[in-house]
Amino acid sequence: MTAPQGWYPDPAGGAGLRWYDGEQWTGYAAPPASGAPAFGGAPAVPTAPDGRPLAGWGSRLGAYVIDSLVVGAVATVLGIPWWIQVVREYAAFLDELTSAAETGRASSVDSLDLYADIAGPLVVLTLITLLVGLVYHAAQLRRRSSTLGMRAVGVEVSTWEPPSGPLSWRVVLVRWATFYGVGILSVVPFLGWLVSLYVILAGLWPLWDERRQGLHDKAAGTVVVRSRA
């Protein structure tokens, strides 16, 4: 086939499109889009420089939810001793408030006392979650360019330019640090809400970005693309 690179009806049949790189058919496929050109021309969906379709925000959200559930489950199990401490402190705090209310006396503890008592365990739990997340994301992205959640929804991470094979450790760690790693700041009093605001903004950024990049993607020079068919 002699034609410019672009999206064409899949030569293997079916209703989808397949990317032709100007020399041969590639493994990148896309569903048909309304108004898509029959041959060549502008891509039917936004693509990375290598022709792979950029992942939609819904797919990214789905991957994030799955990954968060996995990391959260593992971190919770590993953090059971510290969760027990937190529950015990809360129970003692509530018992004291109840007892004070029933006897009509002033409580001997307040919310600041509770925070001081649980601050240590909460710091440990935060560090456990970050460490589990780092191992989970870094190992998978370095080896397979995708996490379990990403594979479940059919997307993976690639560098924007030049398109990569395996992601480098630098790219993997910068991407993790600028989205998940900032969570370490949540252990600093009164900074938690700022961290949460940043993470929400970083996660929503692909909704209006022309490359569908989150802020962490921009820092690492990555995009999330659909996996090869």
Side-chain angles (χ1 to χ4, degrees):
M1 176 178 182
T2 302
Q5 66 177 11
W7 292 102
Y8 295 85
D10 194 334
L17 304 174
R18 189 163 296 276
W19 182 260
Y20 182 74
D21 66 8
E23 296 181 357
Q24 60 184 356
W25 294 106
T26 70
Y28 308 128
S34 176
F39 294 96
V45 294
T47 64
D50 62 358
R52 282 186 289 179
L54 299 176
W57 187 80
S59 295
R60 295 178 63 123
L61 177 62
Y64 172 79
V65 170
I66 294 171
D67 289 334
S68 296
L69 290 174
V70 174
V71 171
V74 175
T76 298
V77 172
L78 295 178
I80 285 177
W82 293 275
W83 279 117
I84 291 175
Q85 292 183 41
V86 171
V87 171
R88 285 176 176 171
E89 293 297 341
Y90 265 109
F93 177 74
L94 293 176
D95 286 343
E96 169 59 21
L97 290 182
T98 301
S99 175
E102 291 176 346
T103 59
R105 60 179 175 81
S107 174
S108 61
V109 296
D110 57 28
S111 57
L112 291 179
D113 294 323
L114 174 63
Y115 180 82
D117 290 335
I118 66 175
L122 289 181
V123 168
V124 175
L125 289 170
T126 298
L127 293 176
I128 289 174
T129 301
L130 288 173
L131 181 58
V132 171
L134 174 59
V135 173
Y136 175 86
H137 286 90
Q140 293 189 84
L141 289 178
R142 171 61 177 163
R143 183 177 180 183
R144 303 185 62 173
S145 298
S146 62
T147 61
L148 178 63
M150 292 177 183
R151 292 192 292 276
V153 300
V155 301
E156 63 185 42
V157 178
S158 174
T159 53
W160 175 259
E161 193 173 1
S164 65
L167 300 173
S168 70
W169 280 115
R170 185 196 69 79
V171 168
V172 168
L173 294 177
V174 168
R175 190 175 191 275
W176 178 85
T178 51
F179 188 74
Y180 296 99
V182 294
I184 189 64
L185 297 176
S186 64
V187 303
V188 180
F190 311 114
L191 282 185
W193 69 275
L194 285 176
V195 173
S196 298
L197 180 62
Y198 166 79
V199 170
I200 291 172
L201 182 62
L204 292 177
W205 204 268
L207 287 172
W208 54 77
D209 187 80
E210 64 178 5
R211 294 183 178 180
R212 298 186 178 180
Q213 290 176 303
L215 295 180
H216 52 306
D217 288 312
K218 291 187 176 297
T222 58
V223 288
V224 179
V225 297
R226 295 178 188 168
S227 302
R228 298 191 183 197

